[in-house]
């Protein structure tokens, strides 16, 4: 891949009139003999040295590669040509080495890591289409596609048979086989296949209609036109079926988080309207996984203003190719995009409009506790963790070293302790929590938020991994401006079995069951990754609260459609529904 001839040419063509081998060697910390050995093909520089050479010459590392055989490169070849080691990409993609190696050798990415190939294309400086061509050259990818064709063919043939009206279900063995090949859940694969089956049935119906006209049309011209349309539809059906394995393979690598897909959808809706694009851009500059799918609009941005973005060619392709699958996987985002489209002309910020719509459609509002309503242990959290760790050791329970979260200390001993030991440690933690709750200060906006909710039609509850007694103690001491909310708030605290704590959806499921709410009309307000994952597992809406960008990004990648910096934004949205002003 590395080309000594390209290095010699680049050295001779530097803007300063050319560099000698000795000058280049000095810039990269090498010897003249090493540079000449690289140029003569006697030695091949390692990736870090390729990067050093490119930086010294003011060019991209890829420009030092022999691109004649680039069409046959695999992903590892592209990485090395970019002057990167596997460990370099691990840091950039926030992956463990074994996960990246699996991506490089099999094309499979972790289900919990969204937009992996999108981020990878951005890091390697190539388009999504170029990246996918290199991944397609990986033997492990070709092997998987060969393995998945048979169960996919079985599913398609079975459900497209005359008289069939059902769709693939997660329990189907063929669906499970396909899901196992892609390392994805059976429900996810089933929803995609259901959409494809329905699409193919519509195509077959159009083909049958054209076939009838081709045989029995009123005129020869009508028959000929129908025959051409019939043949075109048959070709589209064939292409849809034969490309399904590759399309699913590429989708699972590129699949965006709900927030990422919503952003892409907003930009598609906004199109070329500068004002609409500016409204849609939201947090785009820090949403790095979208980088190859978007591009800045060529407009003059004033001081302190950020130029709006629009879809790149890759972004347009991604939207067109995968929108039907996103619609079945993230139906709540589809609803949000419809609302965004209706709000573009009203002047209301899309994020605020979404929140108002979300609360207007909800029956039940659930809160996480620590980090949303208060900081329970405030500055004493490490001290409490230390005391609880000592208590665990006195009960002959080993703990995870250095944990700064008291609840995490309890979680770490669950699988090694007896029920009696766990109950004792839980009781000790409860006493710490209840004592702290007596003096815990509500976070800014917490009392007001509970107050405006209590004046509306919502059922309100706290779902938390902290003790119910501690939450009740905190609610009792809230300031008077809550409008009597503490008496209206149910509490679902730490379960008897700590293994049912979040991200397990147990508490959310219990709350919706007891309160009699519909999960599709329930929203959880939380601040942690466990909150977001529990909400997604329970099938309820989730609103994240995050004052820091890194925390907001993690929540959005975990499925948060909307993340607010403060509770004040929520108070404004709910007050509009109540017909009052905060």
């Amino acid at each position: 891949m590395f080309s000594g001839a390209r290095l010699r040419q680049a050295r001779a063509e530097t803007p300063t009139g050319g560099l000698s081998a000795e000058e280049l060697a000095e810039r990269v910390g090498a010897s003249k003999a090493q540079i000449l050995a690289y140029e003569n093909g006697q030695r091949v520089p390692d990736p870090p040295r390729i990067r050093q050479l490119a930086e010294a010459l003011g060019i991209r590392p890829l420009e030092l590669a022999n691109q004649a055989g680039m069409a046959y490169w695999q992903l590892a070849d592209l990485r090395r040509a970019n002057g990167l080691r596997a460990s370099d990409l691990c840091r950039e993609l926030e992956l463990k080495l074994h996960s990246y190696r699996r991506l490089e050798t099999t094309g499979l990415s972790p289900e919990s890591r969204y937009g992996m190939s999108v981020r990878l294309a951005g890091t390697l400086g190539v388009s999504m289409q170029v990246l996918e061509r290199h991944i397609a050259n990986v033997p492990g990818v070709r092997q998987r596609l060969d393995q998945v064709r048979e169960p996919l063919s079985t599913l398609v043939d079975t459900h497209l048979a005359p008289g069939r009206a059902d769709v693939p279900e997660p329990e189907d063995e063929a669906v499970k086989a396909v899901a196992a090949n892609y390392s994805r859940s059976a429900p996810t694969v089933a929803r995609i296949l259901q959409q494809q089956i329905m699409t193919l049935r519509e195509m077959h119906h159009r083909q049958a209609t054209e076939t009838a006209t081709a045989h029995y049309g009123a005129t020869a011209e009508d028959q000929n036109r129908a025959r051409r349309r019939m043949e075109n539809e048959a070709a589209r059906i064939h292409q849809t079926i034969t490309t399904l394995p590759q399309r699913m393979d590429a989708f699972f690598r590129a699949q965006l988080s709900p927030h990422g897909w919503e952003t892409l959808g907003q930009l598609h809706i906004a199109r070329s309207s500068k004002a609409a694009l500016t409204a849609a851009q939201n947090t785009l500059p820090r949403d790095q996984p979208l980088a190859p799918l978007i591009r800045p609009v060529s407009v003059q941005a004033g001081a302190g203003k950020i130029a709006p973005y629009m879809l790149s060619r890759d972004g347009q392709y991604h939207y067109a190719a995968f929108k039907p699958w996103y619609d079945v996987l993230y139906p709540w985002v589809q609803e949000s995009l419809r609302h965004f489209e209706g709000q573009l002309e009203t002047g209301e910020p899309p994020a605020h409009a979404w929140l108002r719509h979300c609360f207007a459609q909800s029956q039940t509002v659930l809160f996480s506790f620590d980090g949303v309503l208060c900081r329970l242990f405030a500055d004493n959290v490490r001290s409490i963790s230390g005391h609880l760790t000592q208590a665990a050791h006195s009960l002959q329970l080993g703990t995870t070293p250095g944990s700064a979260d008291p609840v995490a200390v309890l979680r770490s001993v669950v699988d090694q302790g007896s029920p009696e030991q766990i109950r004792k440690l839980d009781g000790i933690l409860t006493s710490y929590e209840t004592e702290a709750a007596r003096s815990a200060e509500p976070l800014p906006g917490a009392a007001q938020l509970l107050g405006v909710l209590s004046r509306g039609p919502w059922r309100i509850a706290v779902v938390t991994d902290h003790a119910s007694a501690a939450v009740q103690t905190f609610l009792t001491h809230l300031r008077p401006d809550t409008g009597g909310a503490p008496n209206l708030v149910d509490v679902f605290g730490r379960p008897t079995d700590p293994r049912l704590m979040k991200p397990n959806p147990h508490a959310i499921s219990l709350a919706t069951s007891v309160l009699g709410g519909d999960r599709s009309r329930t929203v959880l307000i939380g601040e942690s990754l466990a909150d977001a994952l529990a909400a997604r597992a329970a099938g309820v809406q989730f609103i994240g609260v995050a004052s820091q960008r890194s925390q907001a990004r993690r929540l959005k990648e975990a499925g948060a459609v909307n993340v607010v910096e403060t509770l004040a934004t929520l108070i404004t949205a709910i007050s509009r529904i109540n017909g009052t002003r905060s």
Side-chain angles (χ1 to χ4, degrees), residues 151-152 154-155 159 168-181 186 189 193:
L152 272 179
T154 298
L155 281 165
H159 290 281
E169 298 293 344
E171 297 78 18
D172 293 351
E173 291 303 320
V175 170
K176 292 179 182 178
V178 173
N181 273 285
V189 170
L193 292 177

Side-chain angles (χ1 to χ4, degrees), residues 348-564:
E348 182 178 11
H352 291 192
W354 184 91
L355 287 170
R356 186 164 52 79
H357 178 73
C358 177
F359 282 113
Q361 296 296 314
S362 296
Q363 299 171 326
T364 305
V365 179
L366 306 178
F367 285 88
S368 184
F369 178 55
D370 192 21
V372 173
L373 299 181
C374 71
R375 293 289 180 197
L376 184 58
F377 293 120
D379 296 332
N380 296 323
V381 62
R382 289 190 177 275
S383 174
I384 298 298
S385 294
H387 292 321
L388 194 64
T389 298
Q390 292 177 0
H393 292 167
S394 69
L395 292 169
Q396 308 301 311
L397 295 170
T399 60
T400 302
S403 177
D405 179 5
V407 174
V409 173
L410 175 63
R411 192 193 306 272
S412 70
V413 303
V414 168
D415 293 328
Q416 56 175 294
S418 67
E420 181 62 25
Q421 288 173 308
I422 301 304
R423 275 196 299 273
K424 287 182 179 179
L425 191 62
D426 188 292
I428 295 170
L429 176 56
T430 297
S431 65
Y432 285 133
E433 291 170 329
T434 306
E435 180 62 29
R438 291 191 177 96
S439 58
E441 287 293 322
L443 287 173
Q448 295 91 329
L449 180 56
L450 288 174
V452 295
L453 281 169
S454 70
R455 292 190 287 273
W458 298 278
R459 306 180 185 97
I460 313 169
V462 174
V463 289
T464 178
D465 292 337
H466 289 287
S468 296
V471 181
Q472 294 287 9
T473 299
F474 170 80
L475 292 174
T476 301
H477 290 84
L478 271 181
R479 292 191 296 271
D481 59 356
T482 59
N487 298 325
L488 302 175
V489 179
D490 289 281
V491 177
F492 299 87
R494 185 165 54 245
T496 305
D497 183 354
R499 286 171 294 191
L500 296 177
M501 294 191 294
K502 292 177 284 189
N504 190 296
H506 168 79
I508 300 173
S509 301
L510 179 62
T512 53
S513 175
V514 172
L515 297 177
D518 182 344
R519 291 193 190 187
S520 67
R521 301 183 66 184
T522 298
V523 58
L524 171 66
I525 301 171
E527 53 82 41
S528 71
L529 189 60
D531 290 330
L533 295 174
R536 186 167 71 176
V540 304
Q541 295 270 28
F542 178 73
I543 297 173
V545 181
S547 58
Q548 298 181 349
R549 290 183 177 182
S550 58
Q551 181 188 10
R553 178 178 60 79
R554 287 193 294 271
L555 290 178
K556 288 172 181 177
E557 288 180 351
V561 175
N562 214 328
V563 177
V564 298

Side-chain angles (χ1 to χ4, degrees), residues 299 351 560:
V299 296

